[in-house]
Amino acid sequence: MLFRVIAVVLMAWSGIAQAAELNVYSSRKQELVAPLLDKFSATSGIKVNLITAEDGMLIQRLKTEGKRSPADVLLLADAGRFELAAREGLLKPVSSPAITAAVPAFLRHPDGLWVGLTQRARVFAYASERVKVDELSDYLGLADPRWKGRLCARSSTNVYNQSLTAAMLAHHGAEKTAAWLSGMVANFARPPQGGDRDQIKDIAAGRCDIALVNTYYVGGMLNSQDPVEREAAARISLFFPDQSGVGTHMNISGAGVAVHSRNNAAALALIEFMLGEESQRWYADSNFEYPVRPGVKPGDLLVKWGDYRRDSLPLKTIGDFQQQATMAMDKAGWK
Amino acid sequence: MEVISRATDIQRQFIRLRSGGLRVWVGVIASLGVAPLLWVLFSVTQSPGDILQHFISTFAVDYLLTTLSLMVLVVSGCLLLGGILGICVARLDFPGRSVFRWALMLPMAAPAYIVAYAYTGLLDYGAPLPTLLRDWQGSFQIPEIRSLEGAACVLIAVLFPYVYALVLAAAVNRPPSLTEAARVLGCSPWRVLWRVELPLLRPALAAGGLLVALETLADYGTVKYFGVDTLSTGVFRLWFTLGDLGAAMHWGASLASFAIVLMFLQFLLRGRETRFSARTLVKSVHPLICPSRWQAWVIACLCGLTLAVTFIVPVGYLFWLAALSAGWKPEYSSLIMNSIALAGLVSSVAVLVSFTWIVMTRRDQGLHAPFWSLGKNILSLGYGVPGVVVAVGALGVAGHVDAGIEGAAASLGIEPPSWYLVGSMTLLVWAGVLRFLAVALRAVKRGIEGIPRTLDEQCALLGHSARQVTWRLYLPLARPGILAGVLLVFVDVIKELPATLVLRPIGFDTLAVRAFEFASDERLADAAWPSLIIVAVGLLPILLLRPGRRGRAA
């Protein structure tokens, strides 16, 4: 036991990644990426070390580590974060015919700094018994006083809400967005807390009637092992907002190669693996996300939700407005 | 004559350090060791940037008020609960007293954030119990657990043992002469309690209250989980959400200064306390007051209820969750190994440093004693400063060290070494040692203080060198104190969350980190096993270092 402890310590001490090892920094939860990484290890023989942390923490860590960073691949859950990482000079461009074929142009950075792996929509989850569909229209409608005390939200520190706000800034400008934010904060049924699943559970419990959630959480809850989650997800319905306007807010989870990575070939191999048909189908079936690869059908649940108009705002723009969005949310009092 | 002068020579040689040069070296090394804290404190001199201005104008006052309210609530709750229970156990006779005496320390084993997870699972809006109550009673609502009041309750549940232990120790160690004098002068037992005992406990209560205030200030996991914004979460927000490390350091510096002021107050009060607690070799025996039967049962129920609410219910719920969950995951084993490795390293280094410091203090008495005690106080500062601030400072220092090494290598024209400080285990261990050195210092000091100086002098007269005295006298006799120090630091590191979250090397997760991540991801069932292991480890010092166990210096 003592030798194992010493071995762990010595291994953790050394900074260099061994040749057949890949260091992945992921802001996506371990359970969502670990199966894919294990499969990659099994097929390619390359060992993968995974570190998970919140995206803000990961980016700051990369900045502090600088040239000595052992990071090879960066898996982030939001285009805005990728743009921030790109602006900070933390990514290096990659290109390969496999990537170009697998990912449509608007879902990857033009210079190849990052590529999208999956898509998700940020939609309304609402209580089917208490809300009529014709009351729902677009995101701006959430500031309407009719939703007073009926809106649940998660914290403004969460990147999904920040990206949505950034998109609103891009579409509607600073003033209208500020009014929208104040209206929403006034409608909160309770102070922002918890994750997307918590919002759905609160709707099911009657705490509030409507909330913003990412589509894959609903899929996850409907197929959860926890009966409480399954029941909660069954009691809500989904609405894809702004169908008559610009469309529902979309975002991606993606991958990029760290600028100081020493394992370019292995990093590229991992990204191409995650864009392969099998991985894309796994994302679609097990994670309830929309795949990016053309020709891969989304899973049954997503097909059931139907097709819908998607906001085609270039994801780079979301990144440009991200910091402004955070400060706007702070000013509006969204905790 | 010659014998006496030779004895004096030996004594002088041994007792005094050879030269002042050693003091200078020690001072320099100690300052380097404390560099992260100094780094953070000096960042106050830099002007605040835009981001910090924005933060101050929007949220800062809110954060400050929330933190102050939380501290006031927690301190008053702990003083009330800990004080009452301490007095009852020390002076009153009631059924179960001997068990409650040590059992009321148990809540200290569970970190606050774990109790927070358990109670959220039990009392959150959508949980079975409140839903049942709502269906049954309609308008009856359990107050929201994820709130300032909820966080205060959880922190009181976990921190009251600090006050309880201090009050109990003060009451038990006090010689009975004062109370006996009061009885002789005609006071009834209850009057004695009220007019003599309680006022004498004021220093212990004040010291306990300050300790609780410091722990509340440092808490991150509970307040983050409940969505309560305090100064600690503000550092995280500035750093990771708004992306400005400088602003975070600036904010952290004000937080650290606040903590240091509180620590200073605590040192002052500790000194006052010794006036009333004369250390005697004879264990003081206080006659116990026997209340009436129903009064005794009320007290017993109060103790039992406290224990149930603060410890048995949350831990029991975690057991239930663990049984329900998917079972033992393979990653738990690596988590345990990592936690043990980190805690083992930090506690060994901390106790080594403490032992060296205390031994040198002992040998260098007289004019230079203030140097050593000041140094000890500075080394102990890390305990009051929240973990995230220590982490921020450590990263700042490490970044510059790495840049310096690279620059030096470049100017010398050689390849920079592949080892670096940022993101390494060394940095994490350093931050941990800095954070918990005070605990080790206190325990080792207790252990060595108990050795009478006459033994040192006898060894010197018998011809032993200083090194032999250290190995053959101090080490064996101070072993209880040293082992207590190792154990206490070990447990504190296992429970530590914010600094580990920020500084951990790639792929290195501890039990506390994963439990926090699971709970934040609304997967309480998966957080159950790591949480239970942390609680089990936390139980060790309480069970092994119980006052009343023979041969142990508590």
Side-chain angles (χ1 to χ4, degrees):
Chain A
M1 176 70 175
L2 182 64
F3 288 127
R4 285 178 81 190
V5 165
I6 294 178
V8 161
V9 163
L10 287 177
M11 261 170 46
W13 224 297
S14 71
I16 282 199
Q18 275 96 57
E21 266 190 36
L22 209 56
N23 293 323
V24 175
Y25 281 32
S26 167
S27 77
R28 303 217 63 191
K29 293 288 187 287
Q30 197 185 42
E31 305 70 50
L32 295 177
V33 293
L36 266 184
L37 296 176
D38 289 338
K39 230 182 282 182
F40 174 74
S41 288
T43 50
S44 65
I46 302 175
K47 183 167 176 298
V48 177
N49 301 321
L50 177 66
I51 183 169
T52 55
E54 269 183 54
D55 35 30
M57 216 184 274
L58 276 181
I59 289 181
Q60 290 300 320
R61 192 191 180 107
L62 281 170
K63 272 172 73 175
T64 332
E65 285 174 350
K67 264 188 258 173
R68 293 161 299 282
S69 172
D72 294 311
V73 175
L74 204 58
L75 295 177
L76 297 179
D78 189 274
R81 286 297 185 234
F82 271 118
E83 279 305 305
L84 178 61
R87 268 202 305 275
E88 302 274 1
L90 298 171
L91 300 169
K92 71 160 75 137
V94 288
S95 66
S96 85
I99 292 179
T100 327
V103 186
F106 69 98
L107 290 174
R108 54 185 158 86
H109 192 273
D111 299 327
L113 287 176
W114 50 264
V115 294
L117 292 173
T118 68
Q119 296 182 72
R120 71 279 299 278
R122 194 142 182 84
V123 301
F124 295 164
Y126 65 94
S128 7
E129 309 114 25
R130 299 189 289 275
V131 176
K132 287 196 280 286
V133 182
D134 36 3
E135 293 182 287
L136 307 168
S137 56
D138 62 354
Y139 294 105
L140 287 175
L142 284 178
D144 196 283
R146 85 167 80 176
W147 297 111
K148 193 162 176 71
R150 296 166 74 187
L151 176 63
C152 277
R154 64 192 292 185
S155 165
S156 64
T157 54
N158 174 253
V159 68
Y160 308 139
N161 287 340
Q162 287 168 7
S163 292
L164 177 61
T165 310
M168 299 294 280
L169 278 170
H171 285 306
H172 303 289
E175 250 187 67
K176 240 180 159 185
T177 310
W180 171 66
L181 286 170
S182 313
M184 279 189 57
V185 172
N187 286 347
F188 283 163
R190 49 130 175 85
Q193 61 185 196
D196 279 5
R197 289 179 199 236
D198 270 331
Q199 316 308 317
I200 295 179
K201 283 191 205 158
D202 278 350
I203 296 179
R207 194 82 183 281
C208 46
D209 294 337
I210 190 168
L212 289 161
V213 298
N214 279 355
T215 41
Y216 58 88
Y217 279 118
V218 180
M221 284 178 82
L222 283 170
N223 294 278
S224 162
Q225 288 192 346
D226 183 1
V228 172
E229 282 196 349
R230 282 202 305 270
E231 205 201 299
R235 286 163 75 161
I236 57 117
S237 308
L238 289 186
F239 179 78
F240 290 79
D242 212 6
Q243 292 301 295
S244 49
V246 292
T248 303
H249 173 74
M250 300 295 293
N251 214 317
I252 51 136
S253 82
V257 177
V259 66
H260 297 294
S261 162
R262 287 166 274 244
N263 293 327
N264 286 337
L268 196 59
L270 176 61
I271 297 181
E272 288 174 354
F273 174 81
M274 291 177 100
L275 287 170
E277 274 217 37
E278 209 187 297
S279 309
Q280 290 282 299
R281 213 176 298 129
W282 180 83
Y283 269 124
D285 292 338
S286 324
N287 257 1
F288 311 101
E289 301 184 73
Y290 296 95
V292 296
R293 193 185 181 97
V296 178
K297 270 181 46 159
D300 293 330
L301 180 64
L302 275 59
V303 170
K304 203 167 72 152
W305 288 337
D307 213 358
Y308 54 94
R309 191 191 183 118
R310 306 178 185 198
D311 187 353
S312 53
L313 182 72
L315 294 174
K316 189 177 184 310
T317 322
I318 293 182
D320 295 335
F321 279 104
Q322 198 108 32
Q323 202 179 58
Q324 201 181 338
T326 316
M327 313 233 301
M329 289 164 105
D330 283 351
K331 284 212 187 76
W334 187 336
K335 288 261 181 76
Chain B
M1 196 61 191
E2 204 179 293
V3 169
I4 294 176
S5 78
R6 181 160 158 69
T8 324
D9 278 338
I10 292 173
Q11 191 184 56
R12 201 176 294 132
Q13 246 185 8
F14 169 71
I15 299 293
R16 306 268 152 79
L17 282 177
R18 280 287 168 83
S19 65
L22 187 59
R23 265 189 291 281
V24 173
W25 273 114
V26 165
V28 166
I29 294 176
S31 317
L32 287 179
V34 192
L37 288 179
L38 300 174
W39 188 264
V40 170
L41 288 173
F42 282 139
S43 72
V44 184
T45 56
Q46 283 152 4
S47 61
D50 287 333
I51 304 254
L52 190 59
Q53 301 275 33
H54 157 82
F55 183 72
I56 291 176
S57 63
T58 49
F59 279 143
V61 174
D62 209 21
Y63 279 40
L64 186 64
L65 287 177
T66 312
T67 311
L68 285 175
S69 334
L70 186 66
M71 281 171 70
V72 165
L73 281 174
V74 174
V75 169
S76 6
C78 286
L79 285 181
L80 210 58
L81 192 59
I84 292 178
L85 289 175
I87 286 279
C88 288
V89 169
R91 293 284 184 265
L92 302 176
D93 191 19
F94 57 91
R97 176 178 173 268
S98 49
V99 171
F100 281 127
R101 192 179 159 128
W102 60 267
L104 282 172
M105 298 282 286
L106 288 177
M108 222 161 65
Y113 51 88
I114 287 184
V115 176
Y117 306 156
Y119 270 111
T120 308
L122 280 169
L123 295 179
D124 204 13
Y125 197 83
L129 186 64
T131 317
L132 212 66
L133 273 168
R134 269 198 312 275
D135 292 338
W136 181 45
Q137 274 286 45
S139 56
F140 180 76
Q141 273 212 40
I142 296 184
E144 171 74 55
I145 178 94
R146 291 209 209 201
S147 60
L148 177 66
E149 295 76 20
C153 288
V154 166
L155 284 169
I156 292 174
V158 169
L159 294 177
F160 87 85
Y162 285 101
V163 177
Y164 166 77
L166 282 173
V167 166
L168 188 60
V172 160
N173 286 334
R174 188 177 320 127
S177 44
L178 288 165
T179 46
E180 282 170 3
R183 289 302 305 277
V184 162
L185 288 171
C187 284
S188 76
W190 291 104
R191 215 167 132 77
V192 168
L193 200 62
W194 184 248
R195 296 208 61 184
V196 178
E197 300 271 15
L198 276 179
L200 286 176
L201 283 174
R202 273 206 297 260
L205 283 173
L210 280 172
L211 191 57
V212 166
L214 279 173
E215 293 283 335
T216 310
L217 202 59
D219 179 72
Y220 172 71
T222 316
V223 289
K224 174 77 180 173
Y225 189 62
F226 279 179
V228 177
D229 290 318
T230 62
L231 299 176
S232 286
T233 60
V235 177
F236 272 81
R237 195 191 182 100
L238 276 168
W239 194 358
F240 301 123
T241 310
L242 291 168
D244 191 342
L245 179 58
M249 268 208 241
H250 210 118
W251 187 251
S254 21
L255 182 52
S257 321
F258 192 19
I260 287 172
V261 166
L262 286 179
M263 281 195 85
F264 186 60
L265 283 175
Q266 200 200 15
F267 285 142
L268 283 181
L269 282 166
R270 273 263 171 91
R272 276 190 61 192
E273 186 197 340
T274 52
R275 260 200 288 156
F276 299 116
S277 64
R279 244 192 294 258
T280 58
L281 290 173
V282 177
K283 204 161 160 59
S284 39
V285 177
H286 290 259
L288 294 176
I289 305 173
C290 294
S292 69
R293 203 178 163 81
W294 70 267
Q295 281 173 335
W297 276 104
V298 162
I299 298 170
C301 283
L302 178 67
C303 292
L305 196 64
T306 308
L307 199 58
V309 167
T310 59
F311 187 73
I312 298 179
V313 164
V315 174
Y317 178 68
L318 285 174
F319 265 116
W320 183 69
L321 273 183
L324 268 195
S325 76
W328 188 263
K329 293 183 176 216
E331 73 164 308
Y332 290 160
S333 319
S334 75
L335 288 180
I336 295 176
M337 252 178 45
N338 287 349
S339 291
I340 292 179
L342 179 64
L345 275 172
V346 172
S347 54
S348 323
V349 173
V351 166
L352 198 65
V353 168
S354 310
F355 185 70
T356 318
W357 190 272
I358 302 282
V359 164
M360 286 200 288
T361 311
R362 190 176 169 94
R363 285 183 53 206
D364 194 21
Q365 291 306 298
L367 274 177
H368 302 291
F371 167 78
W372 296 103
S373 67
L374 178 68
K376 182 162 98 57
N377 288 340
I378 292 181
L379 287 176
S380 305
L381 278 179
Y383 191 60
V385 174
V388 65
V389 178
V390 176
V392 168
L395 264 187
V397 168
H400 283 254
V401 166
D402 279 342
I405 293 179
E406 256 197 17
S411 61
L412 285 175
I414 57 174
E415 185 74 20
S418 59
W419 180 84
Y420 50 86
L421 196 53
V422 171
S424 70
M425 191 70 162
T426 317
L427 193 61
L428 184 53
V429 171
W430 184 8
V433 169
L434 207 55
R435 178 99 172 80
F436 297 119
L437 198 54
V439 176
L441 278 169
R442 205 182 311 148
V444 172
K445 179 163 177 274
R446 280 252 187 83
I448 289 197
E449 256 175 9
I451 305 172
R453 270 178 213 282
T454 50
L455 286 180
D456 294 21
E457 291 163 10
Q458 284 169 19
C459 288
L461 277 175
L462 287 170
H464 289 294
S465 71
R467 190 174 310 164
Q468 280 179 317
V469 169
T470 310
W471 275 113
R472 300 187 64 179
L473 181 69
Y474 293 153
L475 210 48
L477 286 182
R479 198 170 8 180
I482 294 174
L483 288 178
V486 169
L487 186 57
L488 289 169
V489 174
F490 189 90
V491 168
D492 272 335
V493 174
I494 297 260
K495 295 201 282 190
E496 209 283 327
L497 181 62
T500 320
L501 210 55
V502 169
L503 290 174
R504 63 197 206 272
I506 185 170
F508 188 85
D509 282 331
T510 60
L511 290 163
V513 164
R514 282 307 273 155
F516 179 72
E517 285 182 351
F518 280 135
S520 307
D521 203 29
E522 306 137 45
R523 293 167 57 201
L524 282 174
D526 290 326
W529 273 118
S531 310
L532 283 171
I533 296 171
I534 295 175
V535 172
V537 173
L539 283 175
L540 285 176
I542 299 173
L543 296 176
L544 292 178
L545 295 178
R546 268 200 329 258
R549 267 180 69 116
R550 310 201 57 149
R552 289 264 184 229

